[in-house]
Amino acid sequence: MTVNGNKPKFAMYWAASCGGCEIAVLNIHEKILDVDANFDVVFWPVAMDAKYKDVEAMEDGSILLTLFNGGIRNDENEHIAKLLRRKSKILVAFGSCANEGCIPGLANLSDSREIVSTAFNTISTDNPKQIYPMISYDVPEGEIHIPKILPVLKTLDQVVDVDYYMPGCPPESHQIAAVIDLVVQVLQGKAELPPKGTVIGAGNSTVCDECKRARNIKMVKSFKRIWGVEVDPELCLLEQGIPCNGIATRSGCNARCPTAGAQCIGCYGPAEGVIDYGARLISAFASVIDSNDPEEIDRILDGIVDPTGQFYRFNLAGSLLKAGKPAWEKA
Amino acid sequence: MEKIGVYVCHCGTNIAGTVDVQEVAEWAAARLKHRGVVVGREYKFMCSSLGQELIEKDIKELGLTRVVVAACSPHLHENTFRTACKRAGLNPYLCELVSIREQVSWVHTDKDMATAKAMAVVSGGVERVLHHEALEPLKVSIHPDTLVVGGGIAGIQAALEIADAGYKVYLVEREPSIGGHMAQFDKTFPTLDCAACILTPKMVQAGTHPNIELLTWSEVEKVDGYVGNFSVTIRKKSRYVKTDLCTGCGICWEKCPKKVVDDVFEAGMGTRKAIYTPFAQAVPRYPVIDRANCTYYIKGTCKACEKFCPTSAIDFNQEDEIITVNVGNIVLATGYETFDAHRMAQYGYGRLPNVLTSIEFERMCNASGPTNGEILLRDGKSKPKAVGIVHCVGSRDKNYNEYCSVICCMQGLKFAHLVHERTGAEVYNFYIDMRTPFKGYEEFYQRVLEEGTHFIRGKVAEINDAPRTPEEQGKLIAQVEDTLVGVQMRIPLDMVILSVALEPRHDAKETAKRFGLSCSADGWFIEKHPKLDPVATMTEGILIAGCVQGPKDIPASVAQGAAAAARALGKIHAKEIALEPVRASVIEEKCSGCRICNGLCPFNAISFHEERMVTEINAALCQGCGTCVAACPAGAITGTGFSNEQIFAQIEGLLLLNVGEEPVPA
C-alpha cells in the first residue's frame, strides 16, 4: 500500500464525544512517533489546525486511515461523517461513542427539546431571560449558524458505511498501539487487513475470559452497589452480588475494572455476534437470581437501581431499540 | 438459491373461517418470490395423506429445497410434515411448520387483520427456514431395566406390567411398605370392594415377582443421564434390621415397649411401636426402627427387639446404603398428600374433636384400623346420630386450590353409605356440585340418595360448637346456606368429616427438578399433552402415572400405571430411540467461562471444564430447551434449530422487512 511514494494520509475526528479517545491515542507514548513516521496527518482538530474546506478539497479516497470517534448528535457531526467517509479508504469507528453511542447516547431516552431544556432551564442553570440557542441568527456581518441537534444520537454505522470497529471507552492504549502496528505492517506488506466489518483492537470473548477472579455456579440473593460492600478480592464480583457486566462485555481491556475491585460497566460493548447487549445482560442476570418467589425476586431486582444505566450505559444508541419512544418518534 | 414451497392449510374451517388462505398462498408465491418461494398452495387438510402428497410431489417435481407449512401448532403436526419431506427425499429438518391456527385464526375475529397476520407469520417462517440446516436424529440405545418411583397403586400396576413382560423393575418407595394411600382405605367406590382385598394380592405379587426389586424405605437422591441411559442414585435408609435374616415374625414389635402415634399410615388415629411395619399386610414384611422414638437411641438402653429377635436380625449400627442403578425408563408415581384442614380455621379441625379429615375417617372405617371399623366419636364409645360430610375442603376454592380434587364427591357418597350401614345416623352431604361421571358412579349416587342421605347444596360457612337452641346443645353446628332453597340453615351434628383436597407432595417441586420435569402452578407434574400424551413428559424417558399428574381415582391411576408401563415397554422393545437433534452447543472460543449457565440446566447437561475454563454441554443429556442459550451473555451458546440467526431472521420476516414489491399487474 504505497501511495505514489508519499506517506499515506491519516485523519482523526471527534463528533459527539468527550475527548478521552484523543487522550488515549496520545497515551500510546513513543508509538505516536510511528504514526508520524508512517503517515501524513492531514486532519485532526484536537492536534492541529485544519479547516473543513481543506478536507472538502481533498480527492475522494485520498485519506488512507480515519479514526472517527464520537456519536452523530447534530448535523455538523453528520456532515463530517459523510465527508470523511467519502475521503477515506479505511474508516474506523473508534471508541464506544462511534460504535454504540456511549454516554451521549443515553440522551436518546429524551427528545431533543427536553435535552435542550435540561441544559438551559433547570434549577442549576442561571438563565433568567430564558435564552435558548438558535440555529441561525442575523448579525450585521450576515447570517450565522450553529449545528442543529438531531432527534436521536446515532452511531457512526447508522449514518455511513464503516470498515472496522474499535470499541472501548476509551480504547485501551495497548490495543491502539497494536492496531497502529498492524496498519504499519500492512503498509510494509508484512500483514493483511482483516475482513471488512471486523472488530479490531479487542478480543472475541468476554471480560470474564481475562478476569482472574475465582468463579463458581452463580446464585445471587441480592444485588448491591459497590460502595455498600466489602469486596472479596478473590471471588467473582457478580457472585458477591455486585452487578458486574463483564459476563457480556467484549474482552480486550485485560479486565481492568474487575481486577481493581470495581465492576465492569461494559465500555467494550457486546461480545462478537451479540445483537443486543442489554438484553443479553438482562437475561443473564435474571438467570442467576436465586429465588422462585415472585416477591423476593422483585426485591432482589430492586437492587438494580438504574436498569438503563446498568444494562445500556454504553449501548443504548446501538441497541435493537436505539432510543426511547418520544425521541424515536421524531427521528 | 433455495427453492421454497409454502403450503397453507384450511384445517376445514378452523383456519379458513378466519383467514383468507388462498390470498395468503398467492401472496407468498408473489411477494416472497425473491426470497426463494417457488410455489404457494392451499389445501383443505394439509395433514391428510392427499395434502402430504401435494408436498411430496412438489419436492420431487419442482426440486424444493425448503418447505414451509402454515397450519396448526408444531406440537401437533410438525412430525407429520417432516416425515412427508423425508419420504420425498428432503431432510426433514428443512421443513418449518408455522402456526396460523392457534396463533392466528383461533385468536382473531377480523378476517382482514387475521389474513395480514397469517402473511406475516408465513414470511417469518420463510426467513427462518432459509437458515435451517439438514440434521440427523441422534440414536441412543435403551437400557431394558426400569425404575418406578412410588409404591402406591399406580406404581405397583406399572411395575407389575413391566415385570410380567419379562423386564426388570426397581420399585422405590419412601415408606417402609408399598401400598400407598389405597392401603389406608376401607372400601372403594363405587363397588365397595374392600381396598385391602383387591390391593394386597397385587402387593404380594410385586413383593415376590422375580423381575421386581423392591427398594422400600428408600429415596431417589440423584438422576443422571437421559432416555435409555439413566443412572439413578438411591439412598436405602437404614432399617436397623438385617433383611436377609429377618423373617417378619413380628416378635420385635410385639415386645417393643414404646408406643408412638402413627401420623403416616394411621393419620394420627392410632399408634404403632418404635419398631414397626405400617400395617399387618405390609410388603415387604421387614420392620424398621423409628430412630427418633426408639428408647435405645434416646436413652442407650432397652434393646428389647434385639433380645427377643429369634434370628438376630436387629442391627443398631446399620448405616444408610447408597446404590446406583442403571435404567432406560423411569415411571414417577409419587402420588399426593392431603390438604391440611387446620388451614380452614372456620371448620374447627384440631379444635373441635369430632371434626375429622377424610383420611382419618377412612382409618376409622377400616376393619384393621384403630376402632376396628366402628364409627365412633372421639370418646371412643358413643356412636354419632348425625354426621356431616363437607365436600371441597381446600378444593374449588380460590383461597386454597382452584382445581377440583375429583374423588371427593364419590368419597363423600361412600362415607354416607358406610355411616348409614354401620350407625344408622342421619347423614348430610354438603356439596357445591355433585360430580359423578365414570362407570357405575351415577348409579352409586342414586343408591345413596335412596338410602336417605340428605344433600345440601352449599358451601359450609362454619362448623362451631356454640349452641343457640336446646337441640343444638352439645352438638357441632354446621352453618350453611342451602342454595337450592335459598335459606340459611344451622344443622346440629355429632361428627363432621372434611373431604380434604388432594394436593401435590410437599416436595413435589424438588422431585420435579431432580427428574428434570416441570410442575404446573398448582404443583402437579405436567404431562406432554393433556389429552393425547397424558403419561409422557417433556423429558424423554420419564413417565408419570397416578395422582402425581393431578387428582384422580383408583381406576384412573391404575390405567395410567399400565399406560406408562406400555410406553416404557415400547421403548424397551425398540431397543434404540431417535432423539430430536435440537441441542445446545458451546462455541468454545466465545465462552469466557463466566459460569452464568452452569446452574440453569434442568437436565443436568451442563458441566464446567476447570482446566480449560469453559462450559461444556453433553449433547445426549441436552433436551434443547434453550434456557442456557438465552442466558449466555456472550452469545457463546447456540441451539440447533433455534440459533440467533434463525430467530432474528424470523423476526425480520414477521416484520415484513424482506417482502418484495407488489408485482405490476400484467
Side-chain angles (χ1 to χ4, degrees):
Chain A
M1 248 191 221
T2 51
V3 187
N4 303 333
N6 295 326
K7 282 196 286 186
K9 296 193 169 81
F10 170 90
M12 183 155 184
Y13 185 72
W14 52 3
S17 67
C18 67
C21 286
E22 333 280 325
I23 308 288
V25 171
L26 296 176
N27 211 23
I28 63 177
H29 306 300
E30 69 280 1
K31 271 263 187 273
I32 197 77
L33 298 175
D34 287 356
V35 177
D36 184 55
N38 288 285
F39 292 96
D40 180 11
V41 179
V42 292
F43 181 63
W44 190 355
V46 79
M48 57 180 276
D49 189 23
K51 300 287 181 247
Y52 292 163
K53 64 177 178 5
D54 299 336
V55 183
E56 281 158 5
M58 291 177 194
E59 217 174 290
D60 284 359
S62 61
I63 305 173
L64 176 68
L65 177 65
T66 296
L67 304 182
F68 191 105
N69 72 79
I72 310 304
R73 176 74 269 183
N74 58 35
D75 58 1
E76 181 192 19
N77 302 151
E78 191 175 359
H79 169 68
I80 303 299
K82 287 177 176 164
L83 177 66
L84 284 171
R85 171 67 280 182
R86 230 173 34 242
K87 303 297 172 190
S88 313
K89 277 212 170 67
I90 302 170
L91 177 67
V92 179
F94 187 87
S96 177
C97 292
N99 274 274
E100 45 179 354
C102 197
I103 308 296
L106 286 173
N108 285 1
L109 291 173
S110 317
D111 69 20
S112 51
R113 195 193 326 202
E114 283 176 278
I115 297 169
V116 173
S117 155
T118 302
F120 288 89
N121 190 27
T122 46
I123 198 149
S124 61
T125 309
D126 183 20
N127 185 7
K129 290 183 181 165
Q130 296 287 301
I131 295 168
Y132 278 83
M134 297 169 74
I135 306 296
S136 63
Y137 191 71
D138 283 321
V139 288
E141 293 81 3
E143 192 184 82
I144 55 172
H145 299 270
I146 61 166
K148 184 178 167 221
I149 190 166
L150 300 174
V152 295
L153 181 135
K154 291 186 177 174
T155 66
L156 184 59
D157 73 355
Q158 287 166 6
V159 176
V160 296
D161 191 35
V162 168
D163 297 306
Y164 298 110
Y165 299 86
M166 194 161 172
C169 180
E172 284 292 317
S173 293
H174 76 276
Q175 295 282 16
I176 301 173
V179 168
I180 300 279
D181 258 353
L182 173 73
V183 178
V184 170
Q185 285 191 15
V186 171
L187 287 175
Q188 294 166 350
K190 292 180 191 159
E192 277 191 25
L193 283 173
K196 188 179 165 182
T198 303
V199 174
I200 55 174
N204 283 329
S205 178
T206 69
V207 173
C208 299
D209 209 25
E210 298 176 332
C211 180
K212 298 284 180 291
R213 288 176 176 269
R215 62 202 73 163
N216 307 290
I217 291 175
K218 291 171 176 48
M219 309 282 263
V220 176
K221 273 275 179 217
S222 67
F223 287 112
K224 304 170 196 118
R225 310 194 80 177
I226 191 93
W227 44 261
V229 278
E230 202 167 307
V231 179
D232 181 326
E234 308 289 336
L235 185 66
C236 166
L237 293 171
L238 185 52
E239 277 166 51
Q240 300 180 52
I242 300 163
C244 177
N245 288 357
I247 49 173
T249 306
R250 187 184 281 272
S251 55
C253 62
N254 288 334
R256 276 192 171 229
C257 299
T259 305
Q263 76 266 37
C264 169
I265 53 175
C267 78
Y268 259 68
E272 186 74 32
V274 169
I275 292 177
D276 194 286
Y277 173 82
R280 278 279 157 198
L281 261 183
I282 290 167
S283 76
F285 275 32
S287 301
V288 295
I289 290 174
D290 184 18
S291 173
N292 290 319
D293 170 27
E295 281 175 22
E296 192 186 9
I297 292 172
D298 279 348
R299 267 200 307 282
I300 295 171
L301 287 174
D302 285 345
I304 309 275
V305 288
D306 170 18
T308 314
Q310 176 70 42
F311 301 120
Y312 287 102
R313 185 179 302 189
F314 295 92
N315 191 252
L316 185 67
S319 69
L320 265 184
L321 293 178
K322 298 183 176 68
K325 204 175 169 199
W328 189 250
E329 279 174 346
K330 297 201 174 66
Chain B
M1 178 124 166
E2 303 293 347
K3 287 184 175 174
I4 307 169
V6 172
Y7 300 88
V8 186
C9 181
H10 294 226
C11 195
T13 55
N14 268 312
I15 294 171
T18 319
V19 172
D20 187 336
V21 284
Q22 190 183 345
E23 200 187 330
V24 174
E26 284 169 3
W27 176 87
R31 303 287 295 279
L32 300 174
K33 194 173 178 184
H34 68 296
R35 303 301 296 158
V37 174
V38 293
V39 61
R41 295 191 201 279
E42 30 85 29
Y43 191 70
K44 210 136 192 88
F45 289 102
M46 281 310 304
C47 61
S48 68
S49 55
L50 289 174
Q52 294 182 53
E53 277 164 23
L54 214 60
I55 301 177
E56 289 172 52
K57 189 160 162 271
D58 283 352
I59 293 173
K60 286 180 192 144
E61 290 176 6
L62 302 176
L64 298 183
T65 58
R66 297 279 195 276
V67 168
V68 174
V69 183
C72 52
S73 153
H75 253 312
L76 260 78
H77 275 304
E78 186 170 67
N79 206 29
T80 308
F81 296 115
R82 279 183 176 172
T83 313
C85 289
K86 196 178 169 191
R87 275 198 302 273
L90 185 68
N91 184 291
Y93 297 94
L94 298 176
C95 168
E96 171 75 8
L97 177 54
V98 292
S99 168
I100 57 164
R101 194 180 73 170
E102 286 81 349
Q103 294 182 358
V104 180
S105 68
W106 279 357
V107 290
H108 296 293
T109 46
D110 183 314
K111 195 159 182 174
D112 289 342
M113 305 258 282
T115 303
K117 183 172 168 186
M119 289 170 181
V121 170
V122 167
S123 156
V126 167
E127 291 307 320
R128 186 182 213 285
V129 85
L130 285 167
H131 292 269
H132 279 209
E133 293 168 77
L135 302 172
E136 290 303 325
L138 304 165
K139 291 218 163 140
V140 296
S141 62
I142 300 284
H143 194 288
D145 297 353
T146 304
L147 173 74
V148 177
V149 186
I153 184 60
I156 291 173
Q157 184 70 31
L160 285 173
E161 300 271 358
I162 297 167
D164 284 344
Y167 296 100
K168 172 146 184 134
V169 178
Y170 299 94
L171 178 56
V172 173
E173 167 59 48
R174 182 189 271 184
E175 296 299 327
S177 168
I178 58 170
H181 281 105
M182 190 176 166
Q184 293 175 285
F185 302 162
D186 178 38
K187 296 283 196 278
T188 54
F189 59 75
T191 46
L192 298 176
D193 359 15
C194 126
C197 309
I198 57 175
L199 176 66
T200 48
K202 276 191 180 287
M203 288 166 60
V204 171
Q205 222 182 324
T208 55
H209 204 296
N211 287 333
I212 297 181
E213 186 170 333
L214 268 194
L215 298 164
T216 53
W217 201 237
S218 300
E219 292 191 53
V220 173
E221 298 235 305
K222 196 160 145 253
V223 181
D224 288 318
Y226 47 92
V227 58
N229 300 277
F230 293 106
S231 167
V232 185
T233 310
I234 298 165
R235 176 179 293 271
K236 289 174 78 177
K237 296 178 280 189
S238 46
R239 288 175 180 262
Y240 307 105
V241 172
K242 293 177 186 158
T243 50
D244 49 339
L245 298 178
C246 176
T247 61
C249 67
I251 290 175
C252 55
W253 63 82
E254 200 176 288
K255 297 293 181 188
C256 175
K258 182 73 177 276
K259 267 194 182 177
V260 182
V261 173
D262 183 355
D263 283 325
V264 180
F265 188 78
E266 293 292 0
M269 296 291 281
T271 57
R272 57 165 170 79
K273 295 293 184 64
I275 182 166
Y276 71 104
T277 61
F279 50 103
Q281 304 94 325
V283 171
R285 57 190 187 280
Y286 321 124
V288 298
I289 293 180
D290 167 9
R291 194 175 165 137
N293 286 303
C294 168
T295 310
Y296 170 71
Y297 287 111
I298 296 167
K299 295 192 180 149
T301 56
C302 180
K303 293 194 173 183
C305 49
E306 190 183 38
K307 276 175 218 145
F308 288 100
C309 179
T311 58
S312 305
I314 305 292
D315 175 5
F316 288 109
N317 297 317
Q318 200 177 57
E319 284 185 6
D320 289 3
E321 194 186 337
I322 307 284
I323 61 164
T324 304
V325 300
N326 294 313
V327 295
N329 291 281
I330 296 175
V331 179
L332 281 176
T334 49
Y336 66 94
E337 279 172 14
T338 50
F339 175 77
D340 176 7
H342 290 99
R343 290 172 65 194
M344 291 183 83
Q346 64 267 42
Y347 292 159
Y349 179 72
R351 182 169 54 84
L352 305 172
N354 287 307
V355 177
L356 309 178
T357 67
S358 37
I359 286 281
E360 288 171 334
F361 188 72
E362 286 282 2
R363 289 312 300 153
M364 186 186 273
C365 289
N366 194 300
S368 61
T371 59
N372 300 320
E374 275 201 82
I375 295 169
L376 298 173
L377 298 182
R378 291 274 188 187
D379 63 8
K381 300 190 292 260
S382 21
K383 287 197 172 183
K385 296 193 180 64
V387 175
I389 300 165
V390 183
H391 291 222
C392 305
V393 177
S395 322
R396 305 186 69 201
D397 183 334
K398 286 202 164 147
N399 300 309
Y400 306 100
N401 299 302
E402 289 197 31
Y403 56 79
C404 165
S405 285
V406 179
I407 52 106
C408 316
C409 285
M410 285 303 292
Q411 175 186 261
L413 294 174
K414 176 181 80 177
F415 288 166
H417 170 81
L418 293 176
V419 172
H420 259 291
E421 187 181 67
R422 298 187 190 176
T423 66
E426 290 295 319
V427 184
Y428 298 85
N429 259 287
F430 303 104
Y431 69 100
I432 305 177
D433 296 292
M434 275 313 282
R435 293 178 171 179
T436 56
F438 306 121
K439 200 171 175 181
Y441 288 13
E442 183 64 19
E443 292 87 333
F444 187 72
Y445 179 26
Q446 291 304 324
R447 175 176 167 187
V448 174
L449 274 172
E450 282 159 24
E451 284 173 0
T453 294
H454 306 283
F455 284 89
I456 296 175
R457 185 179 183 277
K459 191 170 166 74
V460 175
E462 188 188 44
I463 306 287
N464 66 54
D465 58 352
R468 288 191 193 158
T469 59
E471 307 82 86
E472 290 180 2
Q473 210 65 347
K475 298 276 188 181
L476 296 169
I477 298 106
Q479 175 75 49
V480 60
E481 181 190 354
D482 186 332
T483 56
L484 293 180
V485 193
V487 291
Q488 283 288 340
M489 304 176 87
R490 287 170 62 82
I491 298 177
L493 301 163
D494 299 309
M495 177 187 276
V496 172
I497 306 164
L498 304 177
S499 262
V500 284
L502 270 47
E503 286 190 333
R505 291 267 177 203
H506 64 278
D507 54 355
K509 291 222 161 79
E510 288 101 88
T511 308
K513 182 146 179 28
R514 191 166 302 147
F515 288 90
L517 304 183
S518 13
C519 291
S520 66
D522 295 319
W524 305 110
F525 287 14
I526 297 176
E527 62 281 3
K528 194 165 187 179
H529 190 283
K531 290 154 219 160
L532 301 180
D533 217 346
V535 298
T537 65
M538 294 305 277
T539 305
E540 277 280 359
I542 301 201
L543 304 155
I544 50 177
C547 286
V548 71
Q549 180 251 3
K552 56 181 62 64
D553 56 16
I554 294 169
S557 295
V558 171
Q560 283 205 338
R567 295 297 294 270
L569 286 169
K571 286 218 174 71
I572 296 168
H573 271 278
K575 291 196 172 62
E576 64 172 21
I577 182 173
L579 300 182
E580 273 281 285
V582 175
R583 293 290 178 267
S585 60
V586 177
I587 305 160
E588 217 173 273
E589 311 84 73
K590 286 191 182 179
C591 175
S592 64
C594 73
R595 305 193 66 175
I596 287 280
C597 61
N598 287 190
L600 302 177
C601 181
F603 309 102
N604 303 321
I606 295 181
S607 57
F608 187 64
H609 197 289
E610 295 278 355
E611 271 168 39
R612 298 212 313 282
M613 291 289 278
V614 289
T615 286
E616 294 172 323
I617 294 173
N618 181 332
L621 287 176
C622 173
Q623 300 283 317
C625 72
T627 306
C628 60
V629 181
C632 177
I637 309 181
T638 181
T640 330
F642 293 88
S643 66
N644 284 335
E645 292 73 31
Q646 285 169 313
I647 306 290
F648 281 110
Q650 186 163 20
I651 293 171
E652 285 180 9
L654 283 166
L655 296 173
L656 301 172
L657 297 180
N658 298 325
V659 173
E661 293 298 312
E662 195 97 40
V664 186

